Amino acid sequence: MKRVGDFWVPDVDLRRFSKWGKQRRKTLEYYGSGRGAKAGDLEEALALIPGGRVALDGGANVGAYTRIMLGHFETVHAFEPASDTYAALARNIEQWGVSSRVRAYPIALSDKSESVRLAGKRGHRSVTRRIVGTGDIDAVRIDDLDLDGLDFLKLDLEGYELRALHGARETLLRHRPFVLFEDKPHKARLYDSASDPHAFLASLGARLIACVGKSQFDWLYGFDADGTSS
């Protein structure tokens, strides 16, 4: 683990591989400032909705998104299943003095209780790791967390977003949060997704608010206050 700017990051994010030059530049740019394309997408989405009490950061990595969300929500539940990245996340939370406002979990999100394994491409940063089969990392449904409230749900799970949404069905219906998720169909197809997150959210009564970001991969949905969608 090494410190870059305001962030402790796992060693893999600074390791010399074949793509080291490009990946290292991205890491230094991103963690040196806490900014970058994905952070900008999140800020763009949050500017469109009200703040609130509780948010959930699915795919928290080292906490860059969690820290942005703390500017809009009182409490953030941050999920990061990779052990080295979770260690950096926990250290950042302590360093920033926000331990009382962030609850961090070294587990994955899914549509069922299961044990999974993560892997990433050689030479790529920790943010590209994805679930590749069974292993020793716990995965849970958001519904099983029995949250007493949820105002905003962010999911960036490298193709596992739909499964996590299915595992949050009752929570979505009960608390009606705003939902921001990454949708890259080629990643979702790795898990044989039979449907898509847009259709699933629409079936629950959510409506599309915006597609944010330069790459147009991040989608923001919300539920109308009266319980209907428009």
Side-chain angles (χ1 to χ4, degrees):
M1 188 188 310
K2 296 179 177 65
R3 186 169 177 176
V4 179
D6 290 342
F7 296 85
W8 289 96
V9 301
D11 290 336
V12 69
D13 284 352
L14 294 172
R15 192 175 297 170
R16 291 178 180 269
F17 287 137
S18 60
K19 295 181 179 294
W20 180 79
K22 179 180 179 181
Q23 298 301 323
R24 186 175 187 276
R25 284 195 300 274
K26 286 185 177 181
T27 297
L28 293 176
E29 172 189 353
Y30 182 66
Y31 294 121
S33 64
R35 292 295 180 265
K38 295 296 293 184
D41 293 354
L42 176 59
E43 291 176 326
E44 181 180 342
L46 290 174
L48 299 174
I49 64 175
R53 188 170 64 88
V54 181
L56 191 153
D57 185 357
N61 197 251
V62 301
Y65 315 119
T66 296
R67 189 166 72 164
I68 293 171
M69 291 159 68
L70 284 173
H72 299 261
F73 303 94
E74 297 173 14
T75 301
V76 178
H77 296 267
F79 289 78
E80 175 48 56
S83 59
D84 59 343
T85 312
Y86 175 81
L89 169 66
R91 192 163 183 176
N92 287 330
I93 290 170
E94 180 180 5
Q95 172 183 292
W96 299 333
V98 295
S99 299
S100 64
R101 299 179 57 200
V102 180
R103 182 172 179 183
Y105 305 75
I107 57 180
L109 298 173
S110 183
D111 57 350
K112 61 184 177 182
S113 295
E114 58 179 333
S115 296
V116 301
R117 181 170 66 90
L118 300 176
K121 294 181 179 179
R122 181 177 174 83
H124 287 253
R125 294 176 297 156
S126 58
V127 293
T128 65
R129 291 170 177 163
R130 64 179 184 87
I131 292 175
V132 295
T134 58
D136 58 1
I137 299 171
D138 290 335
V140 301
R141 301 189 313 153
I142 291 175
D143 285 344
D144 292 334
L145 301 174
D146 196 25
L147 299 174
D148 63 1
L150 184 62
D151 301 300
F152 180 69
L153 171 62
K154 168 257 172 187
L155 296 174
D156 186 351
L157 306 177
E158 298 300 300
Y160 231 61
E161 290 83 6
L162 179 59
R163 293 201 181 191
L165 287 171
H166 276 285
R169 185 179 188 279
E170 297 304 319
T171 301
L172 293 171
L173 291 172
R174 182 184 310 115
H175 298 301
R176 307 175 68 78
F178 292 96
V179 180
L180 178 71
F181 64 93
E182 182 183 74
D183 181 22
K184 292 183 177 179
H186 70 283
K187 292 184 178 181
R189 283 194 292 270
L190 296 171
Y191 304 105
D192 297 321
S193 295
S195 59
D196 69 78
H198 305 279
F200 177 72
L201 287 169
S203 75
L204 301 184
R207 62 180 178 84
L208 176 63
I209 296 175
C211 180
V212 301
K214 180 179 179 180
S215 299
Q216 299 286 282
F217 289 137
D218 293 287
W219 300 77
L220 178 65
Y221 276 77
F223 294 87
D224 289 337
D226 61 2
T228 63
S229 61
S230 59

